[in-house]
Amino acid sequence: MIDGFGRKIDYLRISVTDRCNFRCHYCMPEKQSFLPHADLLDYSEIASLANRFIAHGIRKIRLTGGEPLVRRDIDVLIKELGRHVHAGRLDELTLTTNGSRLRQFSEILADSGVRRINVSIDSLDPDIFRNITRGGDLAQVLEGVSAAKASGLHIKINMVALKGQNQTDLLPMAEYCAANSFDLSIIETMPLGNAVEDRQNAYIAINDFIAPIRANFQLQPLTDRSAGPARYWHVAPLGLRLGLITPMSHNFCDDCNRLRLTTDGKIFMCLGSEMHVDFRKAIREEGMDAVDRMLQKALRLKPERHDFERQMAQPEMRLVRHMNTTGG
Ligand code: SAM
Ligand code: SF4
């Protein structure tokens, strides 16, 4: 699949639910309304769309949300998609999770062909963690991470850079990750949803955020890339692989290879744009020829690049979508 700008598209992110048991304040407001269940694609609809997209060239699928592991019977979908990994039709099935339900799911993930997962932890201080997530239990998350490690899953910790909130947690986090052989990715906040003013206050450029690491360790650039927007560094002598994701201060659009399927069947072609193509009617009523036509349309309409800088500067340009709708 090639888009209108000649980019090869082989990565699909599927948001399996917009719901979550946390309320991270940069992601969604405390009182968030969620989609009615009738609007959600059921697992057979998601699996049929995924099959078709795989047939057209998708090689990697990431499940996200909301919190993917809170959707009821999510193991049914994980096992179904895992069949493609076992059959060699998918290079990778992975997920991004807040870790709170990993203890129950890590074995199922490993058995289903999942090899790597991303777990979002913004602080190793239980109080700061509870504050950022509005109620999350750090001990439960760390227990889940340990279970995932014991199941043989390779783990990357995602940490959002929040000015004045979690910078002092950076060195402990780097040491925790190095000691456990986890990768660490630092993410700049993006202006999604309707809490932009808060987020402007929380925004800190990555280079400023990682100053404590630079002050204590040497950073050597690594040339390898995953199928994502991170740039990687080796932190000596910790032996840590550090990813820096800089959507605001550095544009990662030139080699964007992804599409995002929302839980109600829309394909968003860019995290920073409201433009989408709705597949729900096609998959529910019209059949695979319609799905193929919609997919061609989505590829044609994929924007060249996001415009987060302008959205951050001009609140009236803000995207009303929250991150939990399209998935991280
Ligand atoms: N609930 C799962 C989790 O937290 O990992 C998966 C969904 S969450 C939306 C995916 C990722 O997006 C998380 O790492 C989260 O920290 C990040 N995220 C959410 N809102 C963000 C924002 N406004 N800017 C940058 N990253 C954000
Ligand atoms: Fe939930 Fe993930 Fe959003 Fe936090 S970042 S509220 S865990 S979906």
Side-chain angles (χ1 to χ4, degrees), residues 26-27 64-67 96-98 120 158 160 187-190 199 323 328:
Y26 52 78
C27 178
T64 178
E67 173 47 41
T96 305
T97 172
N98 66 24
S120 304
N158 281 350
V160 176
I187 310 175
E188 280 179 349
T189 53
M190 287 176 269
R199 227 169 270 134
M323 193 71 146

Side-chain angles (χ1 to χ4, degrees), residues 20 22-24 26-28 65-67 98 324:
C20 187
F22 290 179
R23 292 285 182 281
C24 303
Y26 52 78
C27 178
M28 61 170 104
E67 173 47 41
N98 66 24
N324 65 309

Side-chain angles (χ1 to χ4, degrees), residues 26 94 120 127 135 182 197 235 242 258 272 290 299 301 312 324:
Y26 52 78
T94 180
S120 304
D127 294 328
F182 301 159
E197 289 80 6
V235 185
L242 178 70
R258 64 190 62 187
L299 290 172
L301 291 177
M312 187 69 107
N324 65 309

Side-chain angles (χ1 to χ4, degrees), residues 246-257:
T246 56
M248 296 298 296
S249 60
H250 187 277
N251 221 305
F252 54 57
C253 305
D254 290 349
D255 46 7
C256 180
N257 59 350

